[in-house]
Amino acid sequence: MIQKLDIAEFLKLADTVPIIDVRTPLEFEHASIPGAFNIPIFSNEERVLVGTCYKQQSREEAILLGFDLTGPKWSTFIKEALKIAPDKKIGVHCWRGGMRSGAMAWSLSLYGFEVYLLEGGYKRFRNWVLDQFKEEYPLLVLGGMTGSGKTNTLIELKKLNQQVIDLEDIAQHQGSAYGSMGKLIQPSQEHFENILASQLVKTDRTKAIWVEDESLSIGKCFIPNPFFKQMRETNLFKIEVPFQKRVDFLVEEYGKLNKEFLIERTLKIGKRLGPLQTKEAIQSIEADQMDVFIKMVLVYYDKTYSNGQEKRSPDKVYSLPCNSTDAIENSRILLNYIQSIEQGTRSKD
């Protein structure tokens, strides 16, 4: 049985039924529907051959070539699908919901699978993704200078049943010049958007959604403009942690990283640090004086953060003094503060 579904029905189904993406490995690696599995009908090279045949000869010749190339593969496709969906219920899509997904759906259905086919394919999914960023979300932004422990505080908020979208986790980057930590590999911009949209659609819009205060870019990933605009216009709750506590936190977090990585990234921001500060920062890294290095770099990052905050409406910025970077304590301070605001608003009503 083959059933065609629109994007809303297909994504709802994807919560319980595995999805296979039959595009090439290259297409899939670039970006995909989060959670999907790849069973490519064509290899990267085969797709080029079929496409060239389509353009230079005809659609019919391209179809014949496609069957010649995939003929011996069909039993393997079915065996792979059985591993992914042993109960024989599966969703299928290709780029535009055309011949590739149609052929796979037909073969799986013939074998006895219950197949759900995405109308419009991955292209339709991408349109849906972009539409999600035009929606309004009840955002609350967690702010604070570099080293305030914002990410850890977000994690604690989530443990306290708060809705959290961790943009840095999605981007696999911690936001600064050192944000890759020498090991994190970022998704493509397209896949970053796919994951973000897939998380947003699962939120309850009657409740607050916490995000961390970010610049437009997180490493090489850019926050979609409509969503970033909402982040800039909503309330910002800034945890204010003493300077030395932030230094200690960053020494613990970055002090174990590879020295060559730290030096290379410091050189990347050399123009903004200034030649003398850059030279001294590198000397501090080489001498294992991580606290000195962190203090020098923080001068730049604190200035950058302050400049970004000036772009916000002052009446939407709330400062919360915190004695440390303790995420459990700071999340409690945040929630208590917001509760007091809400109670004050209700009393006025």
Side-chain angles (χ1 to χ4, degrees):
M1 182 194 80
I2 301 174
Q3 185 176 347
K4 290 186 176 181
L5 300 179
D6 63 26
I7 185 63
E9 293 173 315
F10 191 82
L11 292 177
K12 185 176 181 180
L13 179 84
D15 289 334
T16 55
V17 173
I19 302 299
I20 60 170
D21 181 335
V22 302
R23 297 176 302 151
T24 64
L26 193 62
E27 292 173 287
F28 183 80
E29 288 166 11
H30 175 67
S32 62
I33 296 177
F37 299 87
N38 188 213
I39 302 182
I41 285 185
F42 297 128
S43 69
N44 300 326
E45 297 75 19
E46 287 169 344
R47 183 173 182 246
V48 172
L49 291 174
V50 172
T52 301
C53 181
Y54 186 94
K55 291 178 182 178
Q56 295 182 353
Q57 297 183 46
S58 67
R59 179 177 180 273
E60 289 76 13
E61 287 298 320
I63 291 174
L64 290 175
L65 175 60
F67 277 114
D68 287 339
L69 293 171
T70 60
K73 299 181 185 180
W74 288 101
S75 64
T76 301
F77 293 158
I78 293 170
K79 290 173 184 176
E80 289 182 13
L82 280 169
K83 291 178 184 177
I84 295 167
D87 65 350
K88 291 188 178 181
K89 291 183 180 180
I90 201 163
V92 178
H93 77 85
C94 61
W95 167 237
R96 286 185 294 191
M99 285 186 285
R100 284 186 286 177
S101 59
M104 182 66 81
W106 173 80
S107 69
L108 293 177
S109 176
L110 187 65
Y111 191 77
F113 275 81
E114 202 173 300
V115 183
Y116 301 92
L117 194 60
L118 173 59
E119 290 186 316
Y122 177 75
K123 185 177 182 181
R124 177 66 190 91
F125 170 72
R126 278 297 297 165
N127 291 334
W128 174 87
V129 165
L130 298 177
D131 287 342
Q132 302 316 299
F133 305 132
K134 300 172 186 176
E135 299 288 329
E136 293 290 329
Y137 298 96
L139 300 181
L140 293 179
V141 177
L142 174 61
M145 298 285 194
T146 302
S148 299
K150 298 186 293 295
T151 298
N152 290 344
T153 301
L154 279 181
I155 292 171
E156 287 302 322
L157 287 172
K158 191 170 185 178
K159 290 178 182 178
L160 294 170
N161 297 318
Q162 298 292 304
Q163 294 190 111
V164 172
I165 299 291
D166 191 339
L167 294 168
E168 291 185 359
D169 182 59
I170 297 171
Q172 285 295 286
H173 198 278
Q174 295 191 4
S176 71
Y178 308 90
S180 71
M181 306 297 284
K183 60 183 178 180
L184 299 177
I185 299 174
Q186 291 198 265
S188 67
Q189 175 65 27
E190 189 172 308
H191 197 57
F192 170 77
E193 294 171 356
N194 290 353
I195 300 172
L196 176 56
S198 297
Q199 290 192 13
L200 284 171
V201 77
K202 294 178 181 178
T203 58
D204 180 352
R205 296 194 205 175
T206 66
K207 300 177 181 178
I209 303 170
W210 285 95
V211 294
E212 186 173 334
D213 191 18
E214 306 283 357
S215 60
L216 181 61
S217 63
I218 308 175
K220 69 176 184 179
C221 295
F222 287 81
I223 300 171
N225 281 314
F227 189 75
F228 184 70
K229 185 172 183 289
Q230 289 187 52
M231 288 175 60
R232 282 293 185 181
E233 292 177 351
T234 193
N235 291 331
L236 169 75
F237 295 88
K238 178 184 176 185
I239 53 177
E240 295 189 333
V241 177
F243 181 77
Q244 187 57 48
K245 295 290 186 181
R246 294 192 288 124
V247 172
D248 295 342
F249 178 84
L250 291 171
V251 167
E252 179 67 24
E253 190 165 64
Y254 290 94
K256 301 172 185 176
L257 298 181
N258 180 275
K259 287 184 180 181
E260 285 73 21
F261 166 74
L262 291 174
I263 291 171
E264 184 264 330
R265 299 314 300 171
T266 301
L267 288 170
K268 285 284 185 181
I269 59 172
K271 288 184 179 179
R272 286 168 282 181
L273 284 176
L276 180 59
Q277 289 85 347
T278 301
K279 180 181 178 181
E280 291 177 350
I282 291 173
Q283 289 174 342
S284 299
I285 295 170
E286 292 172 334
D288 286 325
Q289 296 176 328
M290 294 307 298
D291 58 334
V292 176
F293 159 65
I294 293 295
K295 287 176 181 177
M296 296 181 68
V297 173
L298 273 184
V299 172
Y300 159 68
Y301 278 108
D302 285 359
K303 182 179 179 181
T304 300
Y305 186 85
S306 296
N307 289 340
Q309 188 174 307
E310 288 175 2
K311 298 175 183 178
R312 292 181 176 275
S313 174
D315 63 340
K316 289 185 175 291
V317 178
Y318 300 87
S319 296
L320 287 76
C322 298
N323 294 324
S324 72
T325 57
D326 186 295
I328 296 175
E329 175 65 15
N330 292 349
S331 61
R332 184 190 64 78
I333 291 172
L334 270 171
L335 295 181
N336 286 344
Y337 185 80
I338 290 171
Q339 186 178 33
S340 68
I341 293 175
E342 291 174 345
Q343 289 174 345
T345 301
R346 284 196 292 268
S347 64
K348 288 180 183 179
D349 294 341

